[in-house]
Amino acid sequence: MFSGGCLCGASRYVAVGEPINVRVCHCRVCQRSLGAAFNARVLMPLDGVTMTGPLGRRTSSPELVRGFCTVCGTSLFTERAGAGVIGLTCGSLDSPADFRPTEHVWTSSKQAWLVLDDGLPQHPEGAPA
């Protein structure tokens, strides 16, 4: 079990179970949505995560909904309900050091100034199936 939440503390989540994966996404949609160079996230089964507090949701692609605290605006998750998964942003975790990414995806869109030298696999687009 692990937990996380927003900057102001109004929105929280608790996750139970093992992550499906931990990835860093460099796609332009994540960059624009978070206002950051990339989105590091922990992918979990949707039914293993309980959210509380004032949450907003915004569809960012046909399959993906992004969730945030409506009080402070913190980006908390990406949800693919059709696939039954939710990606919790690593920055919102109470203990982010507990999760280490295993790969980078959409590196074809990464910021030119960002040098990836952590030895993790890099995929120009999404990870192979």
Side-chain angles (χ1 to χ4, degrees), residues 39-99:
N39 178 20
R41 58 99 183 116
V42 177
L43 191 68
M44 295 292 295
L46 187 56
D47 62 3
V49 179
T50 303
M51 297 275 178
T52 58
L55 297 171
R57 286 178 159 78
R58 176 80 175 145
T59 300
S60 62
S61 70
E63 305 88 27
L64 191 67
V65 171
R66 293 177 183 274
F68 56 93
C69 173
T70 59
V71 176
C72 67
T74 299
S75 180
L76 297 169
F77 62 89
T78 54
E79 180 181 310
R80 291 185 193 273
V85 296
I86 186 168
L88 304 169
T89 58
C90 287
S92 70
L93 295 167
D94 289 338
S95 299
D98 291 347
F99 298 93

Side-chain angles (χ1 to χ4, degrees), residues 86-112:
I86 186 168
L88 304 169
T89 58
C90 287
S92 70
L93 295 167
D94 289 338
S95 299
D98 291 347
F99 298 93
R100 182 177 175 88
T102 58
E103 59 195 327
H104 295 271
V105 296
W106 290 99
T107 56
S108 61
S109 301
K110 79 170 187 60
Q111 296 296 306

